[in-house]
Amino acid sequence: IYPSHRAELFAARVAKDGTLLDPDRIRVASAPDPSFPYRADAPAVAFDGSQYIVAWADNRGAGTSVEMAYSAAGYSTQINDEGRVDEAKPFTPPGAMGVRSLSLTKCPTGALVAWDQWERRDIPEPTLRIATLRSSSTLVGETKVVEGAAFPSLTTDGTGFLLGYVSNAALSTTAQNAVAPIGPDLTLGSSRSFARDSTTDVAWDGDRYVVLNRGRVQRTAADGTSISE
């Protein structure tokens, strides 16, 4: 999944042997009006066992591209194993807080989605939200909130989940990388801050979680309580 230079969104499936299955690309999101300063940014994708769920920040109906950072909505769609794309629908409304970045990972009822929303102020203030996203582009269950956090990354070990993010993201002088475990019942556990760095990417290597920060690889126990090189 990648945005084009026009900030429209395309996808391409890749086989296990690295063969590109969609050399002509799959169009996921495009401008509703060629004259509109359309942007589809921050794409994320997860496979739910039968189809791909794609989510991104989208400024259709949100004013100008200048306002996108504070008014873009979270949109999602589905792509089946034949490359057919369903109609894109919003799972957050455009409004006072705009979506900037997202992450998805598979969960038993669809995909777990994390996204940040930024409120326009002299110093923009983000809020990180986590919820279950169904293939119908609807959020179900309780939405978890982490105040002041942004730039999420999600992964799963098949049972529970790990969330990586930047805390105190509005101020570079106090921003820190952090991880927090999420239980099978989607209970958000205690966070652990461990570096003052760039954004945090997390993944599961089959044994434990892997945390990547600006080329530095660390590993954490499944409960997110210890981190080592």
Side-chain angles (χ1 to χ4, degrees):
I1 292 290
Y2 54 98
S4 76
H5 67 283
R6 294 181 59 204
E8 297 181 329
L9 196 62
F10 298 87
R13 296 168 299 151
V14 181
K16 291 182 179 180
D17 63 1
T19 302
L20 185 63
L21 302 178
D22 303 294
D24 296 328
R25 307 183 299 180
I26 300 170
R27 185 179 294 273
V28 178
S30 57
D33 180 342
S35 64
F36 183 71
Y38 178 72
R39 295 192 63 81
D41 281 342
V45 63
F47 188 68
D48 70 359
S50 61
Q51 60 187 348
Y52 297 97
I53 299 177
V54 185
W56 67 94
D58 193 302
N59 78 327
R60 69 183 73 185
T64 68
S65 58
V66 174
E67 296 294 322
M68 182 186 175
Y70 304 103
S71 57
Y75 268 71
S76 70
T77 189
Q78 299 78 47
I79 303 175
N80 67 12
D81 58 4
E82 297 178 349
R84 181 180 62 82
V85 183
D86 289 348
E87 179 185 359
K89 298 178 182 178
F91 62 88
T92 70
M97 300 182 72
V99 176
R100 286 197 187 178
S101 59
L102 310 96
S103 184
L104 288 173
T105 193
K106 177 184 176 182
C107 73
T109 56
L112 191 66
V113 58
W115 71 99
D116 56 19
Q117 290 184 284
W118 294 72
E119 184 174 358
R120 187 166 191 173
R121 299 179 179 177
D122 292 338
I123 299 176
E125 183 69 24
T127 301
L128 182 62
R129 302 174 187 273
I130 308 115
T132 301
L133 179 65
R134 290 279 175 83
S135 57
S136 58
S137 299
T138 55
L139 299 177
V140 295
E142 180 184 358
T143 298
K144 311 295 183 180
V145 176
V146 184
E147 297 290 347
F151 310 116
S153 178
L154 281 171
T155 191
T156 180
D157 63 1
T159 303
F161 308 88
L162 188 71
L163 169 69
Y165 61 95
V166 176
S167 63
N168 299 318
L171 296 173
S172 59
T173 55
T174 58
Q176 285 192 313
N177 297 96
V179 293
I182 301 175
D185 60 353
L186 303 188
T187 299
L188 185 63
S190 299
S191 64
R192 177 181 174 87
S193 298
F194 58 92
R196 183 172 293 175
D197 210 327
S198 59
T199 55
T200 298
D201 291 312
V202 295
W204 175 254
D205 69 0
D207 177 53
R208 60 180 61 191
Y209 290 110
V210 177
V211 182
L212 178 64
N213 297 280
R214 198 175 289 175
R216 182 185 182 193
V217 178
Q218 298 172 294
R219 287 173 172 80
T220 176
D223 61 2
T225 56
S226 62
I227 295 177
S228 61
E229 296 292 338

